[in-house]
Amino acid sequence: MKNAIMAGAEQDAWVIGDIWRGEMQVSEMRHYLQPMATYKLLCENLDHNFIIPEGYSWEALTSNGIDFGKKMFIAFQELESMNPSLKDVFTITDFTRFQDDLSLYKVADTVLNRQSYCRESYDDSSPLTGTVTRYLEGLFEAFVSREGVYGGEVSSPKSITTLLPRLLDITSGTISDHASGISGFLIEAYKYAQLNQSEVSLYGQEINAQTRAMGILNLIIHGMYHEVADVKLGNTITNPQWKDEEGQLMKFDGILVSPPFAVSNWGYEEAEKDVYGRFRYGLPSRAYGDMAFVLHSVASLKKDGKAVIVVPHGVLQRGASEAKIRANLIQENLIEAVIGLPSNLFIGTGIPVAVLIINKSKPESLKDRILFINAEDGFGKAMRNQNVLRESDIEDIVDAYHNLKPIDGYSRIVPISELSENDWSLHPLRYFEKAEVSSKIGKTNINRKKYEQSDLPKITLGNIAEVERGLNPTKNETDDIESTHYLVNLVDVQEGKIIADELKGVVLGPKRARDYELESGDILLSSRGTMLKMTVVTPEDLKEKPLVFSQNFLRIRVSNFAQYEPHYIKAFLESPIGQYYLQAYQRGTTVTVLSHRDVASIKLPNLTIEKQREIAEMLLQSDEAYHTAIELARKVHEQSYKDSYQLMGISDSFVEIN
């Protein structure tokens, strides 16, 4: 037996990428590499039940590169013919499409054949966690990380696939993933059961045929297909595949799933006619399919089953129909815990996510209560723009969940009555007295309850001002030459001021103009993106031409200037308390957005107009003094350099350009 662990997966991935560069897209490379590597693995090991077609051993196929792609494809066809469970797994990728398939052979000969895949040749021969499997995991993960958004769609981060089975904590029975991607959750669930000397049966469903094939290849590599795990093809919402003998949804002991975020074409019309009883708690929004997967999970659990689901924050706080669904699930005692996770965990998107835990057999101590864990700050850096849950972060979450530990600022048990007061929001930040936000004075810890329960008189913003979303100009309305108005977009607001230099022109009719024209005293608040911008429109801003505001802004228009000062409202929204509410209300998946209704619901101190004006004047003077001091310092700094060049004797050798 060899005494060395196979290494070099990352380096091999770079070599393969160099060989195939120009032949195919990065997102295609794994589709060719994985079937080849898996076939080599099957040929070089006997610890499986698949029949290898005679005359098509890996050694014979790679003896020369003549018509290599065609030979591989024929071998795959024969393999699938002799093993019906492999239908459309190896042949999903067309190896015959290359006119010059030398690059395929080069990868097989110089990289895959660099070392043996025979498990018995290494110290750890386990198909599930052994040396060869770990090498192949590393090789394929290197390509997933380079696929960007596509890689993130088919594969959850390693730290997430490690965390969820520990939260589920099921070591026997049946476990399902109805958006199984490349089978990461199924594999980790099996590892968890094996670690506890137990067995589970695993069931997956995947909508994309190519992704399903890659997932099954992944299961084969781990020695799991199809005795332990199986994955069916189909749309979980419109065409669920796992059913019992009576045609009803199959029930599982556990569910692990990370559904696609914010899918719009999810099957709303079919859900209206659903025959499986999945939408008895309500019909989700037509625009977002996340909640449909949550309800499918609820319907697919046994009477004592548990589901652990990765969801974007929108699922936790959207209004209308989804608020009613959350209320029903909460009041039925189905939601056991909500765990807020850090942002930037997923490849290709920086959105924050949470773990929603459904438990049909909640412990008595959580009856009419829900455990909230705020784990947003517990992470390490995998790379510049990628965060990762460290082992210590995972252990903290699992410990707080399983032991129902109340930890100040990290975990607490919240009664249903408090959830009701918060419009059935499940956003973790709503339920911690302290939350860290950045503001004009730096990072601060917010005690929301202390503010809301204080004797300070408060007024709801929507009662003193109109909050409206901006204009989305049509193609016909975009015209710089014949424009009737200038459009203020996100890029046009810098450091609290409208920068007029680059404003784009639009042509608007009288009605559209009335709806979106800005007036002096209007407050603009950015409604898209994580960076919040604000400005108060001044008479100077409106001198050149009338202004309108884009859909990326909310306009806050005070109804009575004799009672409310716009600069005071802006000052409150920029305060630590105001920033807390604005950040807590941000929703979305790919891009975060602020709802005009949420902003209108914010309560601010109801001070006298004299006190408001005093605060506004103080801050305006302070801002002006600050910018004047900075400008003076800049000029002194610049003059010092000019003086130094004079002393060097080089001043006459260059001319400044304005």
Side-chain angles (χ1 to χ4, degrees), residues 492-529:
D492 303 316
V493 174
Q494 303 292 336
E495 296 183 0
K497 295 183 178 180
I498 296 174
I499 309 301
D501 298 351
E502 301 294 329
L503 291 175
K504 304 294 184 185
V506 291
V507 180
L508 298 180
K511 184 181 183 307
R512 294 270 279 176
R514 282 196 303 272
D515 289 342
Y516 298 107
E517 266 187 10
L518 291 172
E519 298 176 1
S520 179
D522 284 344
I523 305 164
L524 288 183
L525 167 64
S526 58
S527 61
R528 291 174 68 84

Side-chain angles (χ1 to χ4, degrees), residues 282-571:
L283 199 59
S285 159
R286 186 187 295 270
Y288 301 101
D290 315 281
M291 187 62 83
F293 284 91
V294 173
L295 295 177
H296 177 84
S297 299
V298 173
S300 300
L301 287 173
K302 292 181 179 178
K303 62 182 179 180
D304 58 351
K306 183 196 291 188
V308 184
I309 311 166
V310 178
V311 296
H313 283 184
V315 170
L316 307 178
Q317 58 184 2
R318 288 190 198 110
S321 62
E322 296 202 7
K324 293 177 182 177
I325 293 171
R326 286 196 307 274
N328 289 332
L329 294 176
I330 291 166
Q331 291 170 317
E332 287 279 327
N333 269 303
L334 290 170
I335 298 177
E336 180 179 39
V338 181
I339 303 167
L341 297 179
S343 58
N344 291 309
L345 290 177
F346 280 77
I347 298 169
T349 177
I351 67 162
V353 297
V355 176
L356 181 67
I357 300 181
I358 305 288
N359 191 347
K360 287 191 172 180
S361 184
K362 279 170 65 171
E364 192 63 29
S365 59
L366 282 179
K367 185 172 171 34
D368 294 328
R369 300 196 291 174
I370 293 175
L371 172 68
F372 283 85
I373 298 175
N374 180 20
E376 293 183 359
D377 296 326
F379 61 89
K381 282 287 183 185
M383 56 187 76
R384 188 167 63 89
N385 294 320
Q386 196 73 45
N387 295 331
V388 63
L389 294 175
R390 299 160 297 197
E391 178 60 28
S392 59
D393 302 319
I394 294 173
E395 288 176 356
D396 287 344
I397 293 169
V398 172
D399 182 48
Y401 168 66
H402 285 304
N403 294 304
L404 302 180
K405 279 188 177 179
I407 302 170
D408 186 38
Y410 186 77
S411 61
R412 68 176 286 240
I413 296 171
V414 179
I416 284 182
S417 58
E418 189 174 340
L419 296 164
S420 173
E421 292 169 3
N422 283 281
D423 299 321
W424 305 106
S425 172
L426 291 172
H427 195 302
L429 281 183
R430 287 285 191 98
Y431 303 103
F432 290 91
E433 292 188 6
K434 292 183 179 179
E436 189 179 273
V437 300
S438 296
S439 69
K440 290 278 191 181
I441 59 173
K443 288 188 175 181
T444 56
N445 275 326
I446 305 302
N447 192 325
R448 178 180 66 87
K449 271 194 173 180
K450 189 169 185 179
Y451 170 69
E452 292 181 353
Q453 295 176 1
S454 70
D455 293 332
L456 184 69
K458 304 175 188 70
I459 187 76
T460 302
L461 182 57
N463 290 340
I464 63 172
E466 293 179 351
V467 184
E468 303 284 349
R469 187 172 296 282
L471 168 73
N472 183 15
T474 65
K475 189 175 181 181
N476 292 336
E477 291 175 333
T478 307
D479 189 337
D480 263 346
I481 299 173
E482 302 292 332
S483 60
T484 59
H485 295 74
Y486 287 134
L487 180 68
V488 182
N489 224 314
L490 285 180
V491 71
D492 303 316
V493 174
Q494 303 292 336
E495 296 183 0
K497 295 183 178 180
I498 296 174
I499 309 301
D501 298 351
E502 301 294 329
L503 291 175
K504 304 294 184 185
V506 291
V507 180
L508 298 180
K511 184 181 183 307
R512 294 270 279 176
R514 282 196 303 272
D515 289 342
Y516 298 107
E517 266 187 10
L518 291 172
E519 298 176 1
S520 179
D522 284 344
I523 305 164
L524 288 183
L525 167 64
S526 58
S527 61
R528 291 174 68 84
T530 54
M531 184 178 291
L532 294 167
K533 293 184 174 185
M534 258 180 278
T535 187
V536 177
V537 179
T538 67
E540 189 71 23
D541 295 326
L542 303 171
K543 271 188 175 180
E544 290 288 321
K545 191 176 284 187
L547 300 182
V548 291
F549 64 112
S550 81
Q551 63 176 336
N552 297 322
F553 281 108
L554 298 177
R555 179 185 62 194
I556 303 171
R557 176 170 288 173
V558 172
S559 54
N560 187 344
F561 286 100
Q563 290 185 304
Y564 297 100
E565 165 59 53
H567 287 94
Y568 164 71
I569 296 172
K570 174 176 177 284

Side-chain angles (χ1 to χ4, degrees), residues 38-45 48 50 52 79 90 220:
T38 307
Y39 192 80
K40 171 179 164 69
L41 181 77
L42 291 177
C43 288
E44 295 183 3
N45 291 275
H48 58 80
F50 299 108
I52 305 300
L79 177 71
F90 285 82
I220 292 170

